[in-house]
Amino acid sequence: MNNILIGVSGGISAYKVPSLIRLLIKDDYNVKVIVTEDALKFVTKETLEIISGNRVYFKMFDNVSVTSPKHIELVGWADCLLIVPATYNTIGKLAGGIANNLLSLVASAMDNNKLILAPSMNVNMWENKILQSNLNKLKKMGVNIIEPDSGFLACKDTGKGRLPDIEIIHATIKRVLNTEKRFENIQYIVTAGGTEEDIDKVRVISNRSSGRMGIEIAKQLYFKGADVLIIHGNVSVGIPIYLKSVYVKSAEMMLEVINKNIGNNTIIIMAAAISDFKIKNAGKEKYHKKELRHIEFIENIDVIKNIKRDNILKIVGFALENGMDRKSAIEKLKRKNIDTIILNDVSSIGSEHTKIEIIKRKDNNIIEFEGTKQEIAKLILDHI
Ligand code: CTP
């Protein structure tokens, strides 16, 4: 269980902090809160205390212990410090090395990599060069900054400065706490969901893939600090807003977008269910029933086989088989010339829970596992 210290400074979006704390508590985090005096004009101490289940800290010299000063005790307790909202003033203090209230004092003793700022303010303040240079300075020193959203602001201006959705803040905390070195300097492309091929203007060939497996893998990669892009077809599970994502319709589009996005060291995880066939002369308008009798299926492009291999570190494929047919999965591993194949049973389509086998080309040891797709996503990342 992780300990999250939340610092609230005096901005209108402080009213959103109780909802964020609820989300964190639900996710089993321990939360303690420090407020500045101005923050208490926007959110009450009582609300924060009841929701976090802990007393709120705000005075520097309240109940000072002779053995351990309060700010050092709080820094020792916290796995990370999130300042939300981080106001123009608080950001200026941190960048200038000023520690004249409990929050800035605690921040001064915190490891910069464990410090997260969620700035929120009026658009003119956000665009002010002083603020931008302060943020750049902090960023260079390892502080994590969550970009604000654009939109309608509390001051009735429209522009950048809104606190982003709490789901994004929640995901950033997870990322800061779970980042692992082994995921650095590698770019991950994960495909998910089912592709679609036109029969005519209204009909399509598709499949029942929910996208859940690929989305889980992309989420776990994001939490581990990886640079991840999810390229997806139709999905029935929502794509988290914090993930970089591109929608593609057909197999050909999927191949084009994958090849365009390959970086220097790329690992590709192909969890998408790709239509094996398409229609030779897909109708530009709607076909009549009798015309449909004459449509001709032709084999679709094999995406994996056509990925440009120059800068690829690894390709991981999935083999969806009736009755966990291992022989067929091994045949696909060789035929598609990939490094690892994850064998799963057809019953896993759309389900939350599934059974897999991880089969590698250069290792005869096969890993068998049964569990939720979230558990499987973590296991797959440990084995590639
Ligand atoms: N795949 C692909 N292009 C296709 C079909 C599949 O890149 N046209 C990828 C899938 O994303 C998956 C792997 O190949 O990672 C295996 O997919 P699967 O459907 O099991 O294999 P197929 O080659 O389609 O074989 P079959 O349908 O005969 O089982």
Side-chain angles (χ1 to χ4, degrees):
M1 220 196 297
N2 286 110
N3 296 339
I4 317 290
L5 192 55
I6 294 191
V8 190
S9 54
I12 178 66
S13 54
Y15 82 92
K16 295 179 182 168
V17 174
S19 311
L20 172 68
I21 298 175
R22 271 181 69 85
L23 192 65
L24 294 172
I25 299 273
K26 222 173 114 198
D27 204 16
D28 265 352
Y29 289 104
N30 294 313
V31 176
K32 286 188 180 177
V33 183
I34 305 174
V35 291
T36 63
E37 253 180 271
D38 283 342
L40 293 180
K41 294 178 182 138
F42 300 100
V43 60
T44 73
K45 187 165 156 276
E46 289 70 20
T47 309
L48 295 169
E49 287 188 336
I50 291 168
I51 290 184
S52 69
N54 281 306
R55 61 168 292 208
V56 163
Y57 299 84
F58 77 109
K59 286 198 178 134
M60 277 208 276
F61 300 105
D62 217 9
N63 301 322
V64 180
S65 148
V66 284
T67 49
S68 163
K70 194 186 321 168
H71 63 290
I72 300 303
E73 211 175 281
L74 284 170
V75 170
W77 176 86
D79 293 311
C80 74
L81 167 62
L82 163 72
I83 304 188
V84 53
T87 55
Y88 184 96
N89 185 39
T90 294
I91 292 167
K93 278 192 210 175
L94 301 193
I98 295 169
N100 65 348
N101 59 7
L102 183 62
L103 178 56
S104 47
L105 195 60
V106 168
S108 74
M110 197 80 201
D111 176 353
N112 282 349
N113 297 313
K114 299 288 175 202
L115 184 55
I116 310 167
L117 306 184
S120 167
M121 62 199 71
N122 163 273
V123 57
N124 298 329
M125 294 165 79
W126 171 256
E127 285 171 358
N128 188 317
K129 290 202 172 85
I130 298 173
L131 178 97
Q132 287 304 322
S133 118
N134 284 339
L135 284 175
N136 280 336
K137 184 174 171 187
L138 291 166
K139 229 186 259 178
K140 275 192 200 131
M141 291 177 180
V143 175
N144 304 281
I145 316 280
I146 306 175
E147 285 276 306
D149 265 356
S150 291
F152 186 57
L153 305 173
C155 51
K156 315 270 189 300
D157 276 348
T158 301
K160 208 162 172 182
R162 271 162 56 119
L163 194 72
D165 199 288
I166 55 174
E167 191 189 341
I168 294 181
I169 301 177
H170 183 202
T172 308
I173 294 174
K174 282 192 158 175
R175 186 171 162 97
V176 167
L177 293 174
N178 295 302
T179 288
E180 286 181 38
K181 272 224 156 319
R182 64 189 168 122
F183 291 92
E184 271 176 16
N185 303 322
I186 299 173
Q187 186 214 9
Y188 291 84
I189 293 178
V190 181
T191 67
T195 59
E196 198 177 283
E197 303 295 339
D198 286 350
I199 295 174
D200 60 21
K201 202 172 177 178
V202 293
R203 302 176 178 95
V204 294
I205 305 174
S206 192
N207 58 68
R208 297 197 172 104
S209 168
S210 64
R212 198 189 300 270
M213 191 71 249
I215 293 171
E216 260 324 316
I217 293 172
K219 274 167 72 177
Q220 295 308 322
L221 279 165
Y222 181 85
F223 297 150
K224 297 204 180 277
D227 170 7
V228 55
L229 170 70
I230 182 159
I231 301 173
H232 66 93
N234 293 335
V235 290
S236 54
V237 173
I239 308 270
I241 44 180
Y242 50 84
L243 288 180
K244 277 190 281 175
S245 66
V246 183
Y247 166 76
V248 291
K249 193 170 149 198
S250 63
E252 252 166 53
M253 281 164 80
M254 182 163 279
L255 177 64
E256 192 188 317
V257 177
I258 291 174
N259 280 336
K260 216 166 73 193
N261 280 284
I262 293 173
N264 280 340
N265 292 311
T266 304
I267 292 184
I268 301 188
I269 303 171
M270 291 287 298
I274 297 159
S275 296
D276 290 316
F277 285 85
K278 61 181 186 180
I279 302 301
K280 192 173 177 191
N281 286 315
K284 296 267 177 285
E285 298 299 327
K286 186 187 165 202
Y287 279 134
H288 284 296
K289 208 180 328 184
K290 57 179 186 304
E291 292 172 298
L292 279 175
R293 292 194 191 107
H294 307 293
I295 60 169
E296 199 184 322
F297 286 89
I298 51 168
E299 210 161 313
N300 216 347
I301 189 163
D302 190 298
V303 176
I304 286 191
K305 274 180 148 176
N306 288 285
I307 289 174
K308 283 194 221 137
R309 304 283 175 125
D310 302 349
N311 293 310
I312 299 291
L313 292 178
K314 254 174 204 174
I315 297 183
V316 179
F318 277 74
L320 190 68
E321 304 290 345
N322 292 312
M324 296 291 281
D325 183 348
R326 188 185 284 175
K327 225 173 109 196
S328 170
I330 293 172
E331 182 275 319
K332 280 180 197 172
L333 179 80
K334 290 181 184 152
R335 173 162 49 91
K336 293 180 187 251
N337 187 23
I338 56 181
D339 305 276
T340 302
I341 199 144
I342 318 290
L343 163 63
N344 56 353
D345 188 75
V346 274
S347 61
S348 88
I349 273 265
S351 103
E352 166 56 31
H353 193 271
T354 187
K355 203 159 109 183
I356 58 148
E357 287 184 13
I358 303 177
I359 306 169
K360 296 183 192 179
R361 212 145 52 127
K362 291 187 184 144
D363 182 354
N364 292 331
N365 189 21
I366 293 175
I367 294 129
E368 297 178 46
F369 186 77
E370 202 173 332
T372 63
K373 286 189 176 167
Q374 189 186 76
E375 289 164 340
I376 288 171
K378 288 181 184 166
L379 184 84
I380 290 172
L381 296 189
D382 284 341
H383 284 278
I384 54 174

